[in-house]
């Protein structure tokens, strides 16, 4: 039988065909009026997609490059920062801030859980310069409450900057960047915006620009002030990933096209799409006898599922690949073998969800030996979809 290759991974995610065509056609030089027009259009669209009046910059790098930029540009050696960590990407903030000589305080939550606000309040010090966190911790598929944490900072530590890795949060959760006071919000191209890896984007507040005037850590390729100056002229400091930028423009057009050309409404629809697919996936997998790894604060970006005690999630990953040519993600680090993760961010639709659950019924039965009745996972997802359709 034909087996179509399908990505269900939380980055890279499936590519939008219109973006692939735009990338293939992007045979333009970056110091030309054609490129400047494209770059300025995409930067303006990104502001709407992120939902901010702040500057939005585009960098040619993976998401971690923008994470590094938000450490090197905002801090000086010896600065005290607070990292909120509940998984592998939180640990990346801790490693990065240490690499740039910061004095790092940690507020931790166990894998699969989110933070307690009192714990964050207690970890804030009068001299905490920056709080670094994820909006969604992709390694555990947990959603953190950025709004509540931003509000807490405004009350308890109004001088402290807030930097949010929204790399899988953008396009799967709602943000009010300016209202909540997020100083830097970071996104990545291989996630909800449906294009390949290689671009990172970030919004930067006036407070963050002011902090950069005083910060002393070294920076060269990721010098955000230099990028801001160049972006104002429709250029980037170095050779940008031209084809990816053309693809991003096409993808943002597609997202706007989902709501009659209104990108803000299209972004809201994209978030709703991820949320409904995530809820349907959770219901389907629970009906098949799986336990959710993050039951109290599940992300819409991805779902993490624990396999029953004594079973190996690598078997599920392998069986989906060999039998159905579909790729899901294993657990990272010490979660490998214990959980598997399926993405909902970007170019996934309801039929993808139903197909995934249909395949999982075979695997739960044949590979894991669970007592599955065919249709039981799919039916649970259909109920969620029908309820969501009735509401909208
Ligand atoms: C994918 C991802 C990143 C970025 O990783 P890169 O490999 O550098 O693109 C960072 N944070 C989160 C939460 C992610 O999901």
């Amino acid at each position: 039988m034909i087996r179509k290759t399908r990505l269900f991974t939380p980055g890279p995610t499936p590519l939008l065909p219109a973006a692939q065509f735009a990338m293939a056609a992007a045979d333009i030089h970056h110091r030309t009026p054609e490129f400047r027009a494209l770059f300025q259009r995409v930067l303006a669209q990104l502001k709407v997609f992120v939902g901010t009046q702040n500057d939005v910059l585009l960098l040619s790098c993976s998401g971690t490059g923008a994470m590094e930029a938000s450490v090197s540009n905002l801090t000086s050696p010896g600065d005290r920062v607070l990292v909120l960590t509940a998984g592998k990407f939180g640990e990346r903030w801790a490693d990065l801030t240490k690499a740039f000589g910061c004095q790092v305080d940690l507020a931790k939550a166990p894998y699969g859980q989110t933070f307690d606000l009192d714990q964050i309040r207690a970890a804030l010090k009068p001299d905490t310069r920056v709080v670094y966190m994820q909006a969604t911790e992709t390694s555990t598929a947990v959603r953190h409450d950025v709004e509540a944490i931003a509000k807490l900072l405004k009350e308890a530590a109004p001088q402290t900057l807030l930097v949010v890795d929204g790399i899988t949060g953008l396009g799967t959760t709602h943000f009010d960047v300016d209202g909540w006071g997020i100083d830097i919000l970071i996104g990545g191209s291989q996630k909800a915006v449906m294009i390949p890896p290689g671009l990172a984007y970030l919004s930067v507040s006036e407070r963050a620009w002011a902090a950069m005037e005083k910060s002393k850590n070294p920076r060269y390729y990721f010098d955000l002030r230099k990028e801001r100056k160049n972006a104002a002229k429709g250029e980037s400091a170095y050779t940008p990933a031209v084809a990816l930028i053309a693809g991003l423009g096409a993808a943002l057009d597609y997202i706007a096209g989902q709501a009659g050309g209104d990108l803000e409404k299209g972004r809201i629809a994209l978030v709703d799409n991820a949320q409904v697919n995530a809820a349907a996936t959770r219901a389907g997998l629970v009906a098949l006898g799986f336990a959710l790894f993050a039951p109290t604060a599940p992300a819409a970006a991805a779902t993490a599922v624990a396999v029953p005690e004594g079973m190996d999630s690598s078997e599920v990953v392998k069986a989906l690949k060999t039998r159905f040519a579909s790729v899901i993600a294993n657990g990272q680090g010490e979660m490998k073998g214990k959980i598997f993760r399926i993405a909902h961010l970007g170019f996934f639709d309801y039929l993808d969800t139903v197909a995934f659950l249909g395949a999982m019924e075979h695997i739960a039965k044949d590979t894991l030996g669970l007592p599955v009745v065919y249709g039981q996972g799919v039916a649970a997802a259909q109920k969620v979809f029908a309820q969501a359709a009735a509401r909208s």
Side-chain angles (χ1 to χ4, degrees):
M1 289 181 80
I2 286 180
R3 296 171 310 132
K4 291 190 192 175
T5 299
R6 289 182 170 85
L7 282 186
F8 287 100
T9 44
T13 61
L15 301 179
L16 179 76
Q20 290 177 283
F21 297 135
M23 288 188 286
D27 191 11
I28 50 178
H29 192 275
H30 59 287
R31 305 290 181 211
T32 59
E34 290 82 0
F35 178 76
R36 283 182 209 109
L38 169 70
F39 196 51
Q40 274 166 335
R41 178 173 76 85
V42 172
L43 287 176
Q45 283 177 307
L46 269 180
K47 273 176 92 145
V48 180
F49 183 72
V50 174
T52 182
Q53 300 299 319
N54 289 337
D55 292 284
V56 175
L57 302 176
L58 250 181
L59 304 173
S60 294
C61 57
S62 84
T64 307
M67 292 173 73
E68 173 159 329
S70 62
V71 176
S72 63
N73 283 264
L74 288 183
T75 65
S76 304
D79 275 358
R80 186 188 277 276
V81 302
L82 173 62
V83 169
L84 312 186
T85 171
K88 292 289 148 195
F89 290 101
E91 289 159 23
R92 187 169 297 180
W93 276 134
D95 292 343
L96 252 170
T97 48
K98 275 182 207 143
F100 281 89
C102 297
Q103 196 186 328
V104 185
D105 297 320
L106 298 176
K108 288 193 195 180
Y111 291 171
Q113 293 176 37
T114 189
F115 310 106
D116 176 61
L117 286 182
D118 290 333
Q119 171 199 13
I120 298 173
R121 196 190 307 270
L124 278 169
K125 302 284 181 329
D127 58 343
T128 305
R129 298 191 81 90
V130 190
V131 169
Y132 291 96
M133 68 177 294
Q134 270 63 42
T136 51
E137 171 52 73
T138 318
S139 68
T140 60
V142 162
R143 175 182 183 279
H144 298 314
D145 191 344
V146 178
E147 182 176 11
I149 293 166
K151 200 185 263 178
L152 169 66
L153 282 189
K154 268 194 178 170
E155 284 162 29
Q159 307 305 320
T160 305
L161 298 174
L162 176 60
V163 175
V164 178
D165 163 1
I167 295 176
T168 53
L170 280 153
T172 66
T173 59
H174 298 294
F175 294 99
D176 179 358
V177 176
D178 304 349
W180 300 349
I182 302 174
D183 294 290
I184 290 187
L185 179 62
I186 302 168
S189 58
Q190 80 275 33
K191 310 278 176 151
V193 291
M194 313 173 187
I195 63 169
L199 288 179
Y201 54 97
L202 69 170
S203 67
V204 183
S205 73
E206 283 309 322
R207 291 201 320 165
W209 289 121
M212 282 180 226
E213 297 299 325
K214 295 187 207 122
S215 60
K216 299 211 163 41
N217 258 320
R219 68 208 80 146
Y220 186 81
Y221 184 70
F222 294 127
D223 186 337
L224 295 180
R225 288 186 298 166
K226 197 160 59 188
E227 288 301 338
R228 183 195 208 187
K229 275 201 197 109
N230 280 281
K233 297 178 287 180
E235 298 206 356
S236 60
Y238 311 103
T239 312
V242 174
L244 289 171
I245 293 167
L248 181 56
L252 293 170
D253 286 346
Y254 172 82
I255 294 167
Q258 296 300 300
D262 182 330
L263 183 53
E264 188 180 353
K265 288 202 181 112
R267 180 237 301 155
I268 292 167
L270 184 69
V271 171
D272 290 344
N273 177 69
Q275 290 181 343
V276 172
N277 280 307
T281 302
R282 291 195 297 270
L285 290 169
V286 167
L288 291 178
F290 290 100
L292 300 174
F293 186 64
T296 53
T303 297
V305 186
V307 290
E309 197 60 37
M311 295 180 186
D312 186 348
S313 65
S314 311
E315 296 296 322
V316 176
V317 176
K318 207 165 83 189
L320 265 168
K321 183 76 171 50
T322 51
R323 292 186 66 188
F324 301 105
S326 289
V327 186
I328 59 167
N330 207 322
Q332 289 169 257
E334 49 273 60
M335 290 171 278
K336 189 167 183 203
K338 301 203 172 86
I339 65 171
F340 59 87
R341 293 169 299 142
I342 321 105
H344 319 291
L345 74 172
F347 196 47
F348 290 104
D349 72 359
Y350 173 56
L351 296 198
D352 292 321
T353 298
V354 167
F356 168 76
L357 288 169
M360 276 307 295
E361 292 184 355
H362 293 290
I363 287 167
K365 188 169 192 289
D366 304 341
T367 306
L368 301 179
L370 297 176
V372 169
V373 177
Y374 289 137
Q376 119 193 37
V378 171
Q382 286 171 318
K383 278 188 198 127
V384 171
F385 178 79
Q387 280 161 6
R391 276 199 307 272
S392 65

